[in-house]
Amino acid sequence: MLMLVQGSTEKKMARARLVRDLKSTLTCQGPRNVGFPGGNVNHTLYSNGENRLWCAFGETIHDTAVPRYWNAFGIYKPDQSAQMMSVEINIAMNSNTARVAGFFARDGETDDIFLMHSGKVGGGRPGIGKTAFMVWSKAKPVDVADGEGGSRSGLVIGRLGTPDFTDHIWKFVRTVQNFKDQATDGSLDDPEFREKVEAFEKYSREFSGTKKGMRDSAFEYVTYHGDIVQALYNDRARRLVCGESILSSTLIDLFVKKDGALTEVYEVKTGVGRQMLYTAIGQLVTHATLGGEDVARILVIPADDDIPEDLGRAIAALGIRVRRFRLDRSVPGTGIALD
């Protein structure tokens, strides 16, 4: 399971590793002006060129209510006098308060450290916020145990120390910036998107409660979860008929409604461990009850993993359809191939 990194010393070490990982793959651009709503500040920037990721790291901030490590990211525009931030992934120094969006999580089995983000995207403009971002991006948060019987949920951005860690940061930054651009130009101000936001909030309320069950510790594909959901969305969107819409919520990876009635429920799992499959079966059966008897239930799992025989029988008896995915860099956009 994933556990919150809570000690100030361990946080400091994780943050130092984050900085090292990014600096090792990016080039120093020297001091540049960084702009943000309400002001600007000069910081050393790291980037590999125009229209690529830039990042800047500030000293620990002590003059706020919550001291934090400052980590800013954006899309580099060398000809601009000020580089605009797309997103901050700050880390609270002495707590894991929800007032600071970024945090670290440790895999209790492998000791790998993951950079997380709550999904709370700011910007000071109408239409930009956590719920709208979750709906637009189809992101799926995972639960992280806090060591006291509760949990905090967040999006997995990437695992520290991996060769593609910077790529995962860049993907997250582009996603946030694309969302902000569409929210700003009015592309999201339409009835269909508002319906999706309302459905997201409704489903979240219906299944709200204290989160105590923790996910399995198989995280090989965890940073690709959003890409898998996007690949499913793209695949299903090609087969939409009149009256159908595709939605998601904090608890349901993807679902389809026709004329307002639930018809399909999808659950993505990044492995086939027993606890993971037990959870998936329960989720599909539970969520399907929000519709009629004919709601299709689809479990999406890695192509190369074998389902235990007894669980395979149970899945078949319950009428759950299994789809497989695999990582495939040749697939445009998501890098995910579906069977």
Side-chain angles (χ1 to χ4, degrees), residues 44 50 52 55 68 87 96-97 112 120 127 154 190 192 205 211 220-223 228 235 251 266 275 304 332:
T44 300
E50 185 174 6
R52 303 288 297 276
C55 58
R68 65 198 72 185
V87 64
N96 279 305
T97 173
D112 289 327
K120 185 178 181 181
D190 64 77
E192 181 181 359
R205 287 195 301 271
K211 301 175 184 176
E220 180 179 2
Y221 296 109
V222 71
T223 54
I228 302 163
D235 177 74
L251 294 164
Y266 295 79
Q275 187 58 51
D304 298 329

Side-chain angles (χ1 to χ4, degrees), residues 208-316:
S208 63
T210 302
K211 301 175 184 176
K212 294 196 176 179
M214 290 294 106
R215 49 180 290 121
D216 202 336
S217 59
F219 292 107
E220 180 179 2
Y221 296 109
V222 71
T223 54
Y224 296 95
H225 188 280
D227 296 322
I228 302 163
V229 174
Q230 184 64 54
L232 284 169
Y233 180 93
N234 295 343
D235 177 74
R236 188 60 181 85
R238 288 192 288 268
R239 297 179 283 108
L240 279 180
V241 300
C242 183
E244 285 188 334
S245 58
I246 310 174
L247 306 103
S248 61
S249 75
T250 51
L251 294 164
I252 306 178
D253 286 327
L254 214 67
F255 59 98
V256 177
K257 297 172 75 174
K258 184 173 183 182
D259 298 325
L262 183 69
T263 58
E264 300 171 29
V265 178
Y266 295 79
E267 181 61 35
V268 174
K269 291 300 179 189
T270 55
V272 294
R274 284 188 172 275
Q275 187 58 51
M276 192 173 284
L277 290 180
Y278 289 147
T279 301
I281 292 169
Q283 288 172 309
L284 288 168
V285 171
T286 300
H287 298 321
T289 62
L290 295 172
E293 295 181 357
D294 297 328
V295 174
R297 294 165 288 186
I298 301 97
L299 170 63
V300 185
I301 55 177
D304 298 329
D305 293 352
D306 294 328
I307 299 174
E309 184 178 352
D310 56 338
L311 287 174
R313 288 196 302 268
I315 289 169

Side-chain angles (χ1 to χ4, degrees), residues 93-265:
M93 295 172 58
N94 304 314
S95 69
N96 279 305
T97 173
R99 295 172 62 182
V100 180
F103 58 101
F104 292 116
R106 177 186 294 280
D107 181 349
E109 183 173 310
T110 66
D111 279 340
D112 289 327
I113 301 292
F114 292 84
L115 177 64
M116 312 284 296
H117 193 278
S118 68
K120 185 178 181 181
V121 174
R125 295 189 295 273
I128 297 178
K130 181 175 180 177
T131 301
F133 175 68
M134 290 292 197
V135 172
W136 180 87
S137 66
K138 293 175 283 296
K140 179 69 178 289
V142 300
D143 292 339
V144 179
D146 64 7
E148 298 178 357
S151 67
R152 179 178 181 180
S153 67
L155 308 177
V156 179
I157 297 175
R159 177 160 58 95
L160 273 63
T162 59
D164 60 354
F165 177 69
T166 300
D167 294 337
H168 285 294
I169 294 266
W170 176 220
K171 183 178 294 185
F172 181 69
V173 170
R174 282 181 298 172
T175 299
V176 173
Q177 189 59 56
N178 289 339
F179 163 70
K180 288 185 174 182
D181 290 343
Q182 291 196 27
T184 300
D185 67 21
S187 299
L188 305 184
D189 187 20
D190 64 77
E192 181 181 359
F193 186 72
R194 287 196 293 271
E195 177 191 353
K196 291 181 178 181
V197 172
E198 291 171 2
F200 183 98
E201 294 175 336
K202 176 176 180 290
Y203 277 75
S204 296
R205 287 195 301 271
E206 288 177 351
F207 289 98
S208 63
T210 302
K211 301 175 184 176
K212 294 196 176 179
M214 290 294 106
R215 49 180 290 121
D216 202 336
S217 59
F219 292 107
E220 180 179 2
Y221 296 109
V222 71
T223 54
Y224 296 95
H225 188 280
D227 296 322
I228 302 163
V229 174
Q230 184 64 54
L232 284 169
Y233 180 93
N234 295 343
D235 177 74
R236 188 60 181 85
R238 288 192 288 268
R239 297 179 283 108
L240 279 180
V241 300
C242 183
E244 285 188 334
S245 58
I246 310 174
L247 306 103
S248 61
S249 75
T250 51
L251 294 164
I252 306 178
D253 286 327
L254 214 67
F255 59 98
V256 177
K257 297 172 75 174
K258 184 173 183 182
D259 298 325
L262 183 69
T263 58
E264 300 171 29
V265 178

